[in-house]
Amino acid sequence: MSMRGRDRVAIVGYAQSPVVRSADRPLGALAVDTARAAIADAGLEPAQVDGFVGATLLPSSGGHAVTDGVSVVSADWLAARLNPNPRYAAGFQGLGQIPGSMAMAVNAVATGAADHVLVHRALHNPRGSYHATSASEFGGPMQWTAPQGFFGPLAMIALTYNEYVQRYGASREALAEVVVEARKNGARLPWSYWSGRPLTTEQYLAEPMLDDPICRFDCDIPVDGVAAFVLTTAERARDLPHRPVHVSGYATGGPPKRRLPAHWPLDDLMAAGAGMAERLWASAGMGLDEIDLLQVYDGFSPLVYLWLEALGRCPVGEAHRYVRDGGIDSDSADGDPVLLSGGSLGNGRMHGVPQLLECYLQVAGRAGERQREGVETALSCHSSPHLGGALIYSAEAHQW
Amino acid sequence: MTAEHPLPHRPVPVPDELSAAFWEAAARHVLTLAKCSVCGTLTHPPDVVCDTCGSTDPRFTATPVDGRGVVRSWTVVRQSFLPGFAELLPLVLVDVELVGPELDGQPDVRLVGRLLDGVDAPLAAGSAVRVAFEQVRGDVAVPAFELAGAS
Ligand SMILES: [Zn+2]
């Protein structure tokens, strides 16, 4: 076997808060409760958790004030309230917050920097318009885009996706299949903002455009919500209550070609995504054909296509056909249930948490009614293929 | 003060050391790209290190280009998050790859700006455009594009 650290560190517990538009308590309170629940789920006490990792990106362009414990929750903030003398507390900066944070946690455990590491992600929906600004001038990178009217993530993904549409002939009906599938699966989750509220194809197709060819239903909805996961060594994991889910490998994207801010030309994205995928397979020592369950990221619905293609699930330009006619239907025996997690579209803007959570639950055998047979390996995708990243999990521990 | 509410102004760029020459030229309705004084590569926007040769002292010069390009993508913006754009909606943004002999054989340069022809103008991937300027304030102009098919 390889001398790498793969499968030496395992996820041993988790907790997921309700996902709501506006929590009735400050985000920090929700984070502490969720972290305590994850630690208890792992069969541990807070005093045993000596490592904390998180990411604090607040992805709005509206210039909202960022206050630790209120609009974001940093690893330091959480540590101070759970174990004020941690051996390791660190934050990940970047867009691929889940793979980035998980990689830091895996390495902290693997090197002995900490014995039990809590990885958390706390997302906040600020009051007022999420993206609107009243700025009368822009300096720095935004001077090259905002005065020209290019501003915010809707225009960003609309330009990328229209490039895809024009090149490959993707239809609105195909994207409807993606969104409807995410909302169907999300509607079945008790914690989801969209719990009990699926979307029909007709509703999707009737929705007016915001930034052509993107409509409201192609974008995840901002929410308040927290998830937390506990990681430790494969050896310690054997003595804890749940079936361990080992981290086999990970990769983060970038750096892509330098462009205008929030400008994602399709070829740049796919070129950097291909590099990310190569690093992922090398890191885990396995390829896509050895993955039992793939969970793709969908914060903007077209990202589903770009992930399917970046990972080689289908040829470049073909994902819009792959998803048609039940291709990703989790209720079909032949379907590839890549949105079983409900994704961001079916949960709310939890930034890659649903994909990690579903992989964990399925490999741990804890997915309840959604549990699928024989999921020994899984792969979760987060953010975009060029700036985000991916993780691979395995039920089997490293063979020494 | 009165019942009249003046329309909010569009945001303007704040020039800095790297961008001042670009905005000075734009005010004269001239499009410039940043030319690395070490390797001669044109780029946009300028940065502290040249992407092509890696020089940490690229001493970019604002070099006029004729502003021809082809549309790689576009979107119709129907809801703006910026002041001063509401009355312009719906508006078209185009993602343009600049073309011209000075750009042959070097990394592509892409700009995003408004297409001033409006939402009904015939537009396709590969449509030819040329730069135009929007006067957003008396002394400030920002680049945009127009279809180059006719005239
Ligand atoms: Zn150079």
Side-chain angles (χ1 to χ4, degrees), chain B residues 35-41 49-55 58 60:
Chain B
K35 185 177 204 164
C36 173
S37 62
V38 178
C39 72
T41 304
V49 176
C50 175
D51 294 317
T52 301
C53 72
S55 172
F60 287 113

Tab-separated table of all heavy atoms in Angstrom, chain B residues 35-41 49-55 58 60, ligand 1:
chain	number	residue	atom	x	y	z
B	35	LYS	N	0.772	46.620	-21.052
B	35	LYS	CA	1.853	45.912	-21.748
B	35	LYS	C	3.037	45.761	-20.805
B	35	LYS	O	3.550	46.756	-20.271
B	35	LYS	CB	2.273	46.702	-22.987
B	35	LYS	CG	3.300	45.986	-23.851
B	35	LYS	CD	3.591	46.817	-25.094
B	35	LYS	CE	4.119	45.928	-26.211
B	35	LYS	NZ	4.041	46.604	-27.505
B	36	CYS	N	3.454	44.514	-20.617
B	36	CYS	CA	4.610	44.241	-19.758
B	36	CYS	C	5.865	44.769	-20.443
B	36	CYS	O	6.132	44.435	-21.600
B	36	CYS	CB	4.734	42.744	-19.504
B	36	CYS	SG	6.248	42.289	-18.621
B	37	SER	N	6.629	45.590	-19.739
B	37	SER	CA	7.811	46.184	-20.366
B	37	SER	C	8.949	45.183	-20.478
B	37	SER	O	9.942	45.435	-21.155
B	37	SER	CB	8.262	47.405	-19.565
B	37	SER	OG	8.632	47.013	-18.262
B	38	VAL	N	8.799	44.019	-19.842
B	38	VAL	CA	9.849	42.999	-19.920
B	38	VAL	C	9.602	42.058	-21.099
B	38	VAL	O	10.480	41.837	-21.929
B	38	VAL	CB	9.947	42.202	-18.593
B	38	VAL	CG1	11.005	41.117	-18.682
B	38	VAL	CG2	10.228	43.157	-17.435
B	39	CYS	N	8.383	41.488	-21.188
B	39	CYS	CA	8.111	40.490	-22.231
B	39	CYS	C	7.181	40.992	-23.327
B	39	CYS	O	7.000	40.325	-24.337
B	39	CYS	CB	7.559	39.197	-21.621
B	39	CYS	SG	5.856	39.334	-21.008
B	40	GLY	N	6.561	42.146	-23.137
B	40	GLY	CA	5.716	42.718	-24.179
B	40	GLY	C	4.312	42.171	-24.243
B	40	GLY	O	3.527	42.561	-25.108
B	41	THR	N	3.955	41.261	-23.336
B	41	THR	CA	2.608	40.681	-23.359
B	41	THR	C	1.574	41.703	-22.906
B	41	THR	O	1.806	42.451	-21.952
B	41	THR	CB	2.564	39.441	-22.443
B	41	THR	OG1	3.579	38.540	-22.870
B	41	THR	CG2	1.208	38.758	-22.501
B	49	VAL	N	2.515	41.250	-10.644
B	49	VAL	CA	3.477	40.353	-11.287
B	49	VAL	C	2.949	40.034	-12.683
B	49	VAL	O	1.753	39.832	-12.861
B	49	VAL	CB	3.632	39.047	-10.465
B	49	VAL	CG1	4.559	38.068	-11.164
B	49	VAL	CG2	4.151	39.360	-9.057
B	50	CYS	N	3.824	39.975	-13.689
B	50	CYS	CA	3.387	39.617	-15.035
B	50	CYS	C	3.056	38.128	-15.072
B	50	CYS	O	3.884	37.297	-14.712
B	50	CYS	CB	4.461	39.950	-16.064
B	50	CYS	SG	4.017	39.379	-17.732
B	51	ASP	N	1.846	37.788	-15.522
B	51	ASP	CA	1.424	36.383	-15.589
B	51	ASP	C	2.264	35.592	-16.582
B	51	ASP	O	2.409	34.387	-16.455
B	51	ASP	CB	-0.037	36.290	-16.059
B	51	ASP	CG	-1.004	36.892	-15.066
B	51	ASP	OD1	-0.836	36.653	-13.860
B	51	ASP	OD2	-1.929	37.610	-15.500
B	52	THR	N	2.769	36.255	-17.594
B	52	THR	CA	3.433	35.539	-18.678
B	52	THR	C	4.914	35.300	-18.393
B	52	THR	O	5.397	34.183	-18.505
B	52	THR	CB	3.261	36.309	-20.000
B	52	THR	OG1	1.860	36.442	-20.254
B	52	THR	CG2	3.919	35.576	-21.160
B	53	CYS	N	5.656	36.338	-18.006
B	53	CYS	CA	7.099	36.164	-17.800
B	53	CYS	C	7.473	36.112	-16.329
B	53	CYS	O	8.620	35.817	-15.988
B	53	CYS	CB	7.892	37.266	-18.506
B	53	CYS	SG	7.770	38.891	-17.714
B	54	GLY	N	6.526	36.401	-15.455
B	54	GLY	CA	6.808	36.312	-14.021
B	54	GLY	C	7.555	37.502	-13.458
B	54	GLY	O	7.936	37.494	-12.281
B	55	SER	N	7.778	38.526	-14.275
B	55	SER	CA	8.514	39.698	-13.771
B	55	SER	C	7.784	40.336	-12.589
B	55	SER	O	6.567	40.538	-12.628
B	55	SER	CB	8.674	40.735	-14.879
B	55	SER	OG	9.212	41.933	-14.320
B	58	PRO	N	7.074	44.587	-13.753
B	58	PRO	CA	6.647	44.595	-15.169
B	58	PRO	C	6.499	45.988	-15.754
B	58	PRO	O	6.464	46.141	-16.965
B	58	PRO	CB	5.308	43.848	-15.137
B	58	PRO	CG	4.804	43.984	-13.742
B	58	PRO	CD	6.010	44.116	-12.849
B	60	PHE	N	4.076	48.027	-16.319
B	60	PHE	CA	3.069	48.008	-17.388
B	60	PHE	C	2.861	49.396	-17.966
B	60	PHE	O	2.796	50.386	-17.232
B	60	PHE	CB	1.730	47.507	-16.828
B	60	PHE	CG	1.706	46.036	-16.550
B	60	PHE	CD1	1.610	45.556	-15.244
B	60	PHE	CD2	1.772	45.115	-17.587
B	60	PHE	CE1	1.569	44.196	-14.982
B	60	PHE	CE2	1.725	43.745	-17.336
B	60	PHE	CZ	1.634	43.287	-16.029
C	1	ZN	ZN	6.002	39.947	-18.781
